[in-house]
mmCIF file of all heavy atoms in Angstrom:
data_model
loop_
_atom_site.group_PDB
_atom_site.id
_atom_site.type_symbol
_atom_site.label_atom_id
_atom_site.label_comp_id
_atom_site.label_asym_id
_atom_site.label_seq_id
_atom_site.Cartn_x
_atom_site.Cartn_y
_atom_site.Cartn_z
ATOM 1 N N PHE A 1554 -57.710 -151.332 141.791
ATOM 2 C CA PHE A 1554 -57.180 -151.584 143.140
ATOM 3 C C PHE A 1554 -58.299 -151.117 144.138
ATOM 4 O O PHE A 1554 -58.534 -151.882 145.030
ATOM 5 C CB PHE A 1554 -55.873 -150.808 143.453
ATOM 6 C CG PHE A 1554 -55.272 -151.100 144.691
ATOM 7 C CD1 PHE A 1554 -54.425 -152.150 144.880
ATOM 8 C CD2 PHE A 1554 -55.662 -150.439 145.933
ATOM 9 C CE1 PHE A 1554 -53.788 -152.443 146.087
ATOM 10 C CE2 PHE A 1554 -55.173 -150.739 147.040
ATOM 11 C CZ PHE A 1554 -54.188 -151.776 147.226
ATOM 12 N N ASN A 1557 -61.184 -153.742 143.974
ATOM 13 C CA ASN A 1557 -60.894 -155.228 144.338
ATOM 14 C C ASN A 1557 -59.868 -155.469 145.440
ATOM 15 O O ASN A 1557 -60.025 -156.571 146.049
ATOM 16 C CB ASN A 1557 -60.358 -155.852 143.067
ATOM 17 C CG ASN A 1557 -61.261 -155.861 141.922
ATOM 18 O OD1 ASN A 1557 -62.316 -156.483 141.936
ATOM 19 N ND2 ASN A 1557 -60.964 -155.105 140.944
ATOM 20 N N CYS A 1558 -59.000 -154.609 145.738
ATOM 21 C CA CYS A 1558 -57.965 -154.915 146.759
ATOM 22 C C CYS A 1558 -58.044 -154.145 148.126
ATOM 23 O O CYS A 1558 -57.605 -154.548 149.098
ATOM 24 C CB CYS A 1558 -56.614 -154.593 146.067
ATOM 25 S SG CYS A 1558 -56.549 -155.077 144.324
ATOM 26 N N ARG A 1560 -60.307 -153.327 150.127
ATOM 27 C CA ARG A 1560 -61.000 -153.829 151.292
ATOM 28 C C ARG A 1560 -60.135 -154.704 152.165
ATOM 29 O O ARG A 1560 -60.382 -154.849 153.349
ATOM 30 C CB ARG A 1560 -62.358 -154.471 150.924
ATOM 31 C CG ARG A 1560 -62.203 -155.837 150.207
ATOM 32 C CD ARG A 1560 -63.484 -156.319 149.606
ATOM 33 N NE ARG A 1560 -63.235 -157.062 148.405
ATOM 34 C CZ ARG A 1560 -63.278 -158.364 148.339
ATOM 35 N NH1 ARG A 1560 -63.427 -159.054 149.508
ATOM 36 N NH2 ARG A 1560 -62.970 -158.995 147.235
ATOM 37 N N CYS A 1561 -59.166 -155.389 151.596
ATOM 38 C CA CYS A 1561 -58.179 -156.130 152.429
ATOM 39 C C CYS A 1561 -56.851 -155.458 152.696
ATOM 40 O O CYS A 1561 -56.318 -155.470 153.718
ATOM 41 C CB CYS A 1561 -57.927 -157.516 151.846
ATOM 42 S SG CYS A 1561 -59.401 -158.592 151.813
ATOM 43 N N HIS A 1562 -56.367 -154.879 151.682
ATOM 44 C CA HIS A 1562 -55.018 -154.295 151.655
ATOM 45 C C HIS A 1562 -55.055 -152.766 152.063
ATOM 46 O O HIS A 1562 -54.001 -152.165 152.252
ATOM 47 C CB HIS A 1562 -54.236 -154.368 150.435
ATOM 48 C CG HIS A 1562 -53.880 -155.894 150.077
ATOM 49 N ND1 HIS A 1562 -52.843 -156.486 150.828
ATOM 50 C CD2 HIS A 1562 -54.388 -156.821 149.331
ATOM 51 C CE1 HIS A 1562 -52.669 -157.710 150.343
ATOM 52 N NE2 HIS A 1562 -53.661 -157.987 149.460
ATOM 53 N N ARG A 1571 -56.771 -157.735 157.815
ATOM 54 C CA ARG A 1571 -57.012 -158.969 156.974
ATOM 55 C C ARG A 1571 -55.895 -159.303 156.052
ATOM 56 O O ARG A 1571 -55.835 -160.373 155.511
ATOM 57 C CB ARG A 1571 -58.297 -158.664 156.152
ATOM 58 C CG ARG A 1571 -59.516 -158.200 156.953
ATOM 59 C CD ARG A 1571 -60.478 -157.534 156.003
ATOM 60 N NE ARG A 1571 -61.392 -158.660 155.495
ATOM 61 C CZ ARG A 1571 -62.372 -158.444 154.779
ATOM 62 N NH1 ARG A 1571 -62.642 -157.254 154.265
ATOM 63 N NH2 ARG A 1571 -63.111 -159.512 154.382
ATOM 64 N N ALA A 1572 -55.059 -158.215 155.761
ATOM 65 C CA ALA A 1572 -54.002 -158.474 154.736
ATOM 66 C C ALA A 1572 -52.840 -157.551 154.906
ATOM 67 O O ALA A 1572 -53.036 -156.400 155.396
ATOM 68 C CB ALA A 1572 -54.571 -158.422 153.375
ATOM 69 N N PRO A 1573 -51.629 -158.081 154.590
ATOM 70 C CA PRO A 1573 -50.370 -157.192 154.762
ATOM 71 C C PRO A 1573 -50.372 -155.931 153.923
ATOM 72 O O PRO A 1573 -51.056 -155.814 152.908
ATOM 73 C CB PRO A 1573 -49.283 -158.091 154.409
ATOM 74 C CG PRO A 1573 -49.967 -159.087 153.423
ATOM 75 C CD PRO A 1573 -51.315 -159.267 153.863
ATOM 76 N N ALA A 1574 -49.472 -154.956 154.368
ATOM 77 C CA ALA A 1574 -49.329 -153.750 153.564
ATOM 78 C C ALA A 1574 -48.509 -154.108 152.282
ATOM 79 O O ALA A 1574 -47.690 -154.978 152.261
ATOM 80 C CB ALA A 1574 -48.589 -152.760 154.401
ATOM 81 N N LEU A 1575 -48.952 -153.356 151.164
ATOM 82 C CA LEU A 1575 -48.215 -153.451 149.993
ATOM 83 C C LEU A 1575 -47.399 -152.213 149.717
ATOM 84 O O LEU A 1575 -46.365 -152.134 149.158
ATOM 85 C CB LEU A 1575 -49.112 -153.649 148.759
ATOM 86 C CG LEU A 1575 -50.124 -154.796 148.853
ATOM 87 C CD1 LEU A 1575 -51.016 -154.824 147.654
ATOM 88 C CD2 LEU A 1575 -49.335 -156.133 148.946
ATOM 89 N N PHE A 1580 -41.362 -154.388 151.052
ATOM 90 C CA PHE A 1580 -42.039 -155.303 150.114
ATOM 91 C C PHE A 1580 -41.689 -154.853 148.625
ATOM 92 O O PHE A 1580 -41.340 -155.612 147.726
ATOM 93 C CB PHE A 1580 -43.539 -155.325 150.356
ATOM 94 C CG PHE A 1580 -44.324 -155.912 149.192
ATOM 95 C CD1 PHE A 1580 -44.278 -157.323 149.002
ATOM 96 C CD2 PHE A 1580 -45.042 -155.164 148.341
ATOM 97 C CE1 PHE A 1580 -44.997 -157.907 148.034
ATOM 98 C CE2 PHE A 1580 -45.781 -155.791 147.232
ATOM 99 C CZ PHE A 1580 -45.725 -157.102 147.110
ATOM 100 N N ILE A 1589 -44.633 -159.652 141.520
ATOM 101 C CA ILE A 1589 -46.009 -159.186 142.086
ATOM 102 C C ILE A 1589 -47.091 -159.651 141.113
ATOM 103 O O ILE A 1589 -48.038 -160.132 141.497
ATOM 104 C CB ILE A 1589 -46.015 -157.612 142.123
ATOM 105 C CG1 ILE A 1589 -44.947 -157.112 143.170
ATOM 106 C CG2 ILE A 1589 -47.338 -157.166 142.551
ATOM 107 C CD1 ILE A 1589 -44.892 -155.629 143.234
ATOM 108 N N ILE A 1592 -47.851 -163.250 141.815
ATOM 109 C CA ILE A 1592 -48.620 -163.410 143.100
ATOM 110 C C ILE A 1592 -50.063 -163.013 142.937
ATOM 111 O O ILE A 1592 -50.953 -163.816 143.288
ATOM 112 C CB ILE A 1592 -48.012 -162.474 144.233
ATOM 113 C CG1 ILE A 1592 -46.598 -162.862 144.513
ATOM 114 C CG2 ILE A 1592 -48.941 -162.574 145.507
ATOM 115 C CD1 ILE A 1592 -45.847 -161.888 145.452
ATOM 116 N N VAL A 1593 -50.281 -161.907 142.192
ATOM 117 C CA VAL A 1593 -51.682 -161.446 142.016
ATOM 118 C C VAL A 1593 -52.377 -162.404 141.193
ATOM 119 O O VAL A 1593 -53.570 -162.774 141.360
ATOM 120 C CB VAL A 1593 -51.717 -160.023 141.378
ATOM 121 C CG1 VAL A 1593 -53.142 -159.511 141.172
ATOM 122 C CG2 VAL A 1593 -50.980 -159.089 142.400
ATOM 123 N N VAL A 1597 -52.340 -166.552 146.745
ATOM 124 C CA VAL A 1597 -51.537 -167.202 147.760
ATOM 125 C C VAL A 1597 -52.384 -168.407 148.282
ATOM 126 O O VAL A 1597 -53.200 -168.173 149.091
ATOM 127 C CB VAL A 1597 -50.993 -166.397 148.918
ATOM 128 C CG1 VAL A 1597 -50.041 -167.179 149.810
ATOM 129 C CG2 VAL A 1597 -50.279 -165.145 148.267
ATOM 130 N N THR A 1600 -54.393 -169.028 151.862
ATOM 131 C CA THR A 1600 -54.720 -167.832 152.533
ATOM 132 C C THR A 1600 -55.990 -167.169 151.925
ATOM 133 O O THR A 1600 -56.498 -167.651 150.973
ATOM 134 C CB THR A 1600 -53.478 -166.849 152.469
ATOM 135 O OG1 THR A 1600 -53.557 -166.237 151.199
ATOM 136 C CG2 THR A 1600 -52.226 -167.503 152.698
ATOM 137 N N ALA A 1601 -56.297 -165.990 152.440
ATOM 138 C CA ALA A 1601 -57.425 -165.251 151.943
ATOM 139 C C ALA A 1601 -57.156 -164.612 150.576
ATOM 140 O O ALA A 1601 -58.029 -164.139 149.781
ATOM 141 C CB ALA A 1601 -57.952 -164.127 152.945
ATOM 142 N N MET A 1602 -55.827 -164.554 150.088
ATOM 143 C CA MET A 1602 -55.520 -163.940 148.870
ATOM 144 C C MET A 1602 -55.893 -164.787 147.672
ATOM 145 O O MET A 1602 -55.406 -165.792 147.348
ATOM 146 C CB MET A 1602 -53.943 -163.683 148.813
ATOM 147 C CG MET A 1602 -53.408 -163.161 147.528
ATOM 148 S SD MET A 1602 -53.964 -161.494 147.257
ATOM 149 C CE MET A 1602 -53.237 -161.257 145.601
ATOM 150 N N PRO A 1603 -56.948 -164.226 146.861
ATOM 151 C CA PRO A 1603 -57.462 -164.966 145.797
ATOM 152 C C PRO A 1603 -56.556 -164.968 144.623
ATOM 153 O O PRO A 1603 -55.681 -164.022 144.453
ATOM 154 C CB PRO A 1603 -58.741 -164.184 145.537
ATOM 155 C CG PRO A 1603 -58.983 -163.105 146.457
ATOM 156 C CD PRO A 1603 -57.656 -162.943 147.117
ATOM 157 N N TRP A 1605 -56.226 -163.840 141.142
ATOM 158 C CA TRP A 1605 -56.933 -162.865 140.325
ATOM 159 C C TRP A 1605 -56.915 -163.237 138.803
ATOM 160 O O TRP A 1605 -57.669 -162.603 138.039
ATOM 161 C CB TRP A 1605 -56.539 -161.476 140.625
ATOM 162 C CG TRP A 1605 -56.818 -161.092 141.968
ATOM 163 C CD1 TRP A 1605 -56.032 -161.175 143.090
ATOM 164 C CD2 TRP A 1605 -58.052 -160.541 142.399
ATOM 165 N NE1 TRP A 1605 -56.708 -160.733 144.154
ATOM 166 C CE2 TRP A 1605 -57.902 -160.398 143.923
ATOM 167 C CE3 TRP A 1605 -59.292 -160.261 141.856
ATOM 168 C CZ2 TRP A 1605 -59.016 -159.905 144.670
ATOM 169 C CZ3 TRP A 1605 -60.302 -159.785 142.630
ATOM 170 C CH2 TRP A 1605 -60.162 -159.538 144.112
ATOM 171 N N MET A 1609 -59.522 -161.612 136.145
ATOM 172 C CA MET A 1609 -58.989 -160.337 135.404
ATOM 173 C C MET A 1609 -58.120 -160.763 134.317
ATOM 174 O O MET A 1609 -57.528 -161.814 134.225
ATOM 175 C CB MET A 1609 -58.207 -159.538 136.372
ATOM 176 C CG MET A 1609 -58.946 -158.801 137.471
ATOM 177 S SD MET A 1609 -57.793 -157.714 138.353
ATOM 178 C CE MET A 1609 -58.879 -157.199 139.644
ATOM 179 N N ILE A 1617 -52.706 -152.902 137.617
ATOM 180 C CA ILE A 1617 -52.567 -152.880 139.029
ATOM 181 C C ILE A 1617 -51.093 -152.942 139.518
ATOM 182 O O ILE A 1617 -50.765 -152.111 140.444
ATOM 183 C CB ILE A 1617 -53.326 -153.986 139.650
ATOM 184 C CG1 ILE A 1617 -54.882 -153.952 139.278
ATOM 185 C CG2 ILE A 1617 -53.156 -154.051 141.209
ATOM 186 C CD1 ILE A 1617 -55.694 -155.092 139.874
ATOM 187 N N VAL A 1621 -49.357 -150.168 141.803
ATOM 188 C CA VAL A 1621 -48.770 -150.462 143.122
ATOM 189 C C VAL A 1621 -47.321 -150.004 143.150
ATOM 190 O O VAL A 1621 -46.800 -149.465 144.160
ATOM 191 C CB VAL A 1621 -48.816 -152.002 143.430
ATOM 192 C CG1 VAL A 1621 -48.002 -152.384 144.637
ATOM 193 C CG2 VAL A 1621 -50.296 -152.372 143.727
HETATM 194 C C1 HEC B 983 -60.000 -161.153 150.697
HETATM 195 C C2 HEC B 983 -58.835 -160.352 151.151
HETATM 196 C C3 HEC B 983 -57.900 -160.080 149.975
HETATM 197 C C4 HEC B 983 -58.071 -159.377 148.811
HETATM 198 C C5 HEC B 983 -59.546 -158.910 148.251
HETATM 199 C C6 HEC B 983 -56.817 -159.195 148.189
HETATM 200 N N1 HEC B 983 -55.848 -159.715 148.880
HETATM 201 FE FE1 HEC B 983 -53.821 -159.718 148.389
HETATM 202 N N2 HEC B 983 -53.504 -160.758 150.094
HETATM 203 C C7 HEC B 983 -54.331 -161.148 151.101
HETATM 204 C C8 HEC B 983 -53.715 -161.855 152.182
HETATM 205 C C9 HEC B 983 -54.365 -162.478 153.429
HETATM 206 C C10 HEC B 983 -52.335 -161.967 151.837
HETATM 207 C C11 HEC B 983 -51.193 -162.596 152.627
HETATM 208 C C12 HEC B 983 -50.988 -163.946 152.165
HETATM 209 C C13 HEC B 983 -49.974 -164.595 152.869
HETATM 210 O O1 HEC B 983 -50.011 -164.879 154.058
HETATM 211 O O2 HEC B 983 -48.770 -164.743 152.279
HETATM 212 C C14 HEC B 983 -52.220 -161.116 150.538
HETATM 213 C C15 HEC B 983 -51.004 -161.067 149.882
HETATM 214 C C16 HEC B 983 -50.836 -160.197 148.711
HETATM 215 C C17 HEC B 983 -49.574 -159.954 148.193
HETATM 216 C C18 HEC B 983 -48.189 -160.424 148.625
HETATM 217 C C19 HEC B 983 -47.813 -159.438 149.678
HETATM 218 C C20 HEC B 983 -46.524 -159.899 150.428
HETATM 219 O O3 HEC B 983 -46.134 -159.135 151.316
HETATM 220 O O4 HEC B 983 -45.959 -161.012 150.058
HETATM 221 C C21 HEC B 983 -49.862 -159.061 147.160
HETATM 222 C C22 HEC B 983 -48.826 -158.436 146.161
HETATM 223 C C23 HEC B 983 -51.267 -158.938 147.009
HETATM 224 N N3 HEC B 983 -51.877 -159.622 148.014
HETATM 225 C C24 HEC B 983 -51.919 -158.070 146.122
HETATM 226 C C25 HEC B 983 -53.309 -158.028 145.979
HETATM 227 C C26 HEC B 983 -53.936 -157.252 144.942
HETATM 228 C C27 HEC B 983 -53.233 -156.515 143.800
HETATM 229 C C28 HEC B 983 -55.369 -157.451 145.242
HETATM 230 C C29 HEC B 983 -56.456 -156.910 144.402
HETATM 231 C C30 HEC B 983 -56.453 -157.276 143.006
HETATM 232 C C31 HEC B 983 -55.523 -158.247 146.416
HETATM 233 N N4 HEC B 983 -54.199 -158.561 146.871
HETATM 234 C C32 HEC B 983 -56.669 -158.514 146.977
HETATM 235 C C33 HEC B 983 -55.710 -160.793 151.067
HETATM 236 C C34 HEC B 983 -56.402 -160.233 150.082
#
Side-chain angles (χ1 to χ4, degrees):
F1554 187 89
N1557 299 292
C1558 322
R1560 72 195 147 94
C1561 289
H1562 289 285
R1571 313 165 80 180
L1575 305 176
F1580 171 71
I1589 299 180
I1592 297 170
V1593 178
V1597 184
T1600 76
M1602 174 66 186
W1605 294 94
M1609 283 186 192
I1617 296 178
V1621 167

